[in-house]
Amino acid sequence: MDLGLVLQTDPPSQLLVDRLVRAEGQGFTHGWTFDSHLLWQEPFVLYGSVLERTEHLTVGPLVTNPATRDPSVLASMFATLDERFGPRTVCAIGRGDSALRTQGRPPTTLARLEDATTLIRTLTGGGTLDTGDGSGPGSDDSDSTVLRLPWVAPGTPPVPVWVAGYGPKALAMASRIADGFVLQLADPYLVRWTLDAVRQAARDAGRDPAEITMCVAAPGYVTDGSATGLAHAREQCRWFGGMVGNHVADLVERYGPGGAVPAELSDYIAARQGYDYRHHGRAGNASTAFVPDAIVDRFCLLGPEAAHRERLAELAELGVDQFALYAMHDAIDATTESYGRAVAGG
């Protein structure tokens, strides 16, 4: 199973670059960043610096979205990076949460996400995409716009696009057209339920489920095995339950309680009372006080190194192809070093 390292682009930017460069030597295969331009620094400015100093590390956003970033611009950025450094990027994309909410806008639609996925794969593969056939009443050829990147040779391997989501429609869409699927939590029960749904939807769409890379992303915090250490780790990672809760709240609003996801995922948000995005992804976020310890323990990887190896082995048995480690706490370097030493074997 591949290992990815996910960081936020906090200043100083050089520290992020150094950490991702070091991660390659520790055994990580992917270097990811958040992509919310009003909360953190611009990640695409930094990817080139990481790629220039590494040999094999694959980089990308976990996740971007097609609303704050025009998909054709995304395609050009990814294609440019791959032309310069080789095929070492992945576009993980979703409907958008913090990047849009901080602008007072709701997440974009699944239809727009699907269109963006198709566009990015087509353009980065040297293909053309016709945005309309000009067949409407009174229309002519000017109603049809053909998009392409003329400097990308036809037949170029397209940039892989991985779709992140939770709800049934997002899972079905990812199963139809995406190269990979991203699930942002590491509870084995919910991983099994979700990946089974993705695989069945892929079969229903006539695809081999093995074509879809399955990525699970969640925080990890290595402790000394003590109760005090576990309590501290929970507080450092409780923010993640709040972040997942934002997506679950959208699903409950759309489908009703119990209408889209298992109760094991949706029940815990009953005490949720709004969310302050100024503290998004931060330890100590007061908006995540509703998240119980049991959810933190299930969604995250906490405890001594042996506990991390055990959970990762369980995820691998479920068919997870990559675990992407969210390192957003007060022990970033210690945790990544532990993963390199005891988990990745770096």
Side-chain angles (χ1 to χ4, degrees):
M1 183 168 64
D2 286 342
L3 282 173
L5 176 60
V6 192
L7 298 174
Q8 292 165 341
T9 52
D10 288 314
S13 58
Q14 187 62 50
L15 179 58
L16 176 136
V17 173
D18 290 344
R19 279 173 166 157
L20 290 182
V21 170
R22 192 160 58 244
E24 181 179 59
Q26 293 168 331
F28 289 87
T29 59
H30 289 67
W32 302 102
T33 70
F34 277 22
D35 182 16
S36 293
H37 59 288
L38 293 180
L39 295 176
W40 298 286
Q41 292 180 317
E42 171 56 43
F44 281 89
V45 172
L46 305 177
Y47 293 150
S49 297
V50 176
L51 291 168
E52 193 165 36
R53 291 180 54 193
T54 55
E55 296 182 9
H56 307 292
L57 195 74
T58 296
V59 304
L62 197 75
V63 296
T64 190
N65 71 86
T68 61
R69 296 194 185 274
D70 183 275
S72 65
V73 176
L74 282 171
S76 184
M77 288 192 292
F78 281 112
T80 301
L81 289 168
D82 278 3
E83 185 276 330
R84 178 158 171 73
F85 299 104
R88 294 169 54 199
T89 63
V90 173
C91 176
I93 192 168
R95 294 177 57 230
D97 179 45
S98 57
L100 288 162
R101 300 285 194 190
T102 52
Q103 295 182 328
R105 301 162 62 190
T108 190
T109 65
L110 284 175
R112 189 171 182 181
L113 177 58
E114 182 167 358
D115 288 345
T117 300
T118 299
L119 185 149
I120 293 166
R121 294 189 76 255
T122 300
L123 267 58
T124 58
T128 60
L129 189 70
D130 195 334
T131 62
D133 61 10
S135 61
S139 63
D140 55 31
D141 289 342
S142 64
D143 292 338
S144 178
T145 299
V146 176
L147 305 180
R148 67 186 182 97
L149 300 176
W151 46 272
V152 178
T156 298
V159 169
V161 181
W162 298 3
V163 170
Y166 295 94
K169 292 182 179 179
L171 304 187
M173 187 271 283
S175 303
R176 288 196 310 274
I177 65 170
D179 300 292
F181 172 74
V182 180
L183 177 64
Q184 293 169 310
L185 55 81
D187 173 47
Y189 174 84
L190 293 172
V191 169
R192 181 191 297 276
W193 181 89
T194 304
L195 298 194
D196 283 350
V198 170
R199 293 182 182 114
Q200 185 56 55
R203 286 188 286 267
D204 292 343
R207 290 187 70 189
D208 180 356
E211 297 175 356
I212 305 172
T213 299
M214 304 294 187
C215 176
V216 162
Y221 197 110
V222 178
T223 75
D224 59 5
S226 68
T228 300
L230 177 59
H232 180 75
R234 284 170 174 159
E235 292 311 312
Q236 288 293 305
C237 297
R238 197 175 303 276
W239 63 266
F240 183 67
M243 186 186 82
V244 174
N246 295 333
H247 301 290
V248 176
D250 284 343
L251 293 174
V252 170
E253 181 178 355
R254 186 176 305 116
Y255 296 104
V261 294
E264 290 82 356
L265 177 58
S266 60
D267 283 355
Y268 84 98
I269 69 165
R272 181 178 181 271
Q273 297 180 348
Y275 188 85
D276 186 346
Y277 278 90
R278 292 175 298 175
H279 308 292
H280 185 64
R282 306 289 190 189
N285 184 346
S287 299
T288 62
F290 72 93
V291 181
D293 287 350
I295 287 293
V296 183
D297 293 348
R298 285 169 48 194
F299 285 11
C300 306
L301 277 71
L302 310 177
E305 291 176 354
H308 290 252
R309 289 195 297 269
E310 182 179 347
R311 177 73 71 86
L312 290 174
E314 190 172 2
L315 295 176
E317 183 66 24
L318 294 174
V320 175
D321 298 300
Q322 179 180 155
F323 175 70
L325 170 69
Y326 280 163
M328 294 95 181
H329 44 58
D330 64 359
I332 294 174
D333 293 329
T335 297
T336 55
E337 287 169 7
S338 289
Y339 266 67
R341 177 178 63 251
V343 178

